[in-house]
Amino acid sequence: MAYEYVTDNNLYQKQTYMYSEYRGREFLKDYLDSRHQYVDSIKYKNDESESVSREEGVADPVQSNLLLILRKLESGEYDRELTDRMNAYTKSFEVRKRIYSGYDSRWKPVEGAGFENYLSYLLFADCLLHMYENTGCLKYFSCLLKVDDTMLSVSGHLSGNLTGYLRTIIVRELEIFEQLLCKNEIDLGVTG
């Protein structure tokens, strides 16, 4: 059975991960196959296109906020306020499986807020990677997997720069996954 959490468009065909059947090592192999297939399908250009694209495409307050959080994380500025903000984004995504262009004070989407700006998801994924690396907290990695499933489901709609940015995020996700396998002494009998 193939990895089933990447549909035609996860923004509209939301996944219900918590109701998933346990499939053990075969599930993990399917997951790895889906990620490696995407990474291998994208011609990699070793340049700074993902850092340029993430700043050039910022279009709303949420993207600006995520970019600010990302810059702070990249520079080592890690504090309670940043953690609270990331926890709010994480909780909102876990509930709705979307990143909206605007939220009210209770972290509910404001009326008319859009959710199809792919840069928002990539910035959020990048922030989640940094949060996991800073804390080792698996809730950030778990959320990252779901965000990346969503992005893979719409990968055919991404511009060249965003495709490269997603590839970079997936590669980093796979590195963390491999570390977790090693840490927990899990051998899937595959090489990546």
Side-chain angles (χ1 to χ4, degrees):
M1 180 180 232
Y3 185 72
E4 60 197 73
Y5 298 104
V6 177
T7 62
D8 289 334
N9 186 332
N10 285 12
L11 294 174
Y12 291 96
Q13 298 175 26
K14 294 181 186 176
Q15 299 297 328
T16 53
Y17 295 92
M18 62 195 255
Y19 300 109
S20 301
E21 172 186 339
Y22 176 73
R23 292 194 13 241
R25 291 177 193 270
E26 288 307 310
F27 170 78
L28 296 177
K29 289 178 183 178
D30 289 344
Y31 153 77
L32 281 174
D33 287 346
S34 77
R35 294 314 203 246
H36 285 293
Q37 183 179 16
Y38 178 77
V39 168
D40 294 345
S41 74
I42 305 301
K43 183 177 179 180
Y44 182 65
K45 294 188 298 185
N46 190 11
D47 60 21
E48 297 296 319
S49 63
E50 66 267 4
S51 61
V52 171
S53 69
R54 70 183 188 197
E55 295 191 27
E56 286 178 359
V58 171
D60 61 52
V62 168
Q63 289 176 351
S64 296
N65 187 248
L66 288 168
L67 186 57
L68 178 65
I69 291 169
L70 183 57
R71 286 181 183 149
K72 286 182 175 184
L73 288 166
E74 288 173 336
S75 68
E77 294 179 49
Y78 180 80
D79 58 24
R80 185 70 191 162
E81 181 182 339
L82 184 140
T83 301
D84 290 346
R85 177 92 14 178
M86 277 304 296
N87 286 341
Y89 278 115
T90 300
K91 181 179 179 182
S92 180
F93 181 83
E94 289 286 7
V95 169
R96 295 176 185 86
K97 303 297 186 267
R98 293 176 174 163
I99 299 291
Y100 287 88
S101 59
Y103 294 92
D104 65 19
S105 61
R106 296 174 300 159
W107 283 91
K108 295 188 182 205
V110 295
E111 187 174 331
F115 59 86
E116 290 183 316
N117 193 315
Y118 305 134
L119 179 59
S120 299
Y121 296 86
L122 294 172
L123 290 169
F124 181 51
D126 209 349
C127 290
L128 289 166
L129 282 165
H130 284 282
M131 287 299 291
Y132 175 77
E133 290 165 355
N134 281 318
T135 66
C137 181
L138 288 173
K139 80 175 174 183
Y140 299 118
F141 187 67
S142 175
C143 188
L144 171 70
L145 296 172
K146 295 166 193 163
V147 173
D148 288 351
D149 284 349
T150 298
M151 293 312 325
L152 288 170
S153 78
V154 296
S155 62
H157 302 289
L158 300 179
S159 68
N161 284 343
L162 293 183
T163 297
Y165 194 13
L166 176 58
R167 184 189 189 282
T168 300
I169 288 169
I170 297 292
V171 167
R172 289 172 61 202
E173 171 196 312
L174 287 168
E175 289 168 357
I176 292 169
F177 184 77
E178 292 293 332
Q179 291 168 2
L180 290 169
L181 287 177
C182 288
K183 178 181 176 183
N184 292 288
E185 300 177 0
I186 299 171
D187 181 9
L188 297 179
V190 297
T191 56

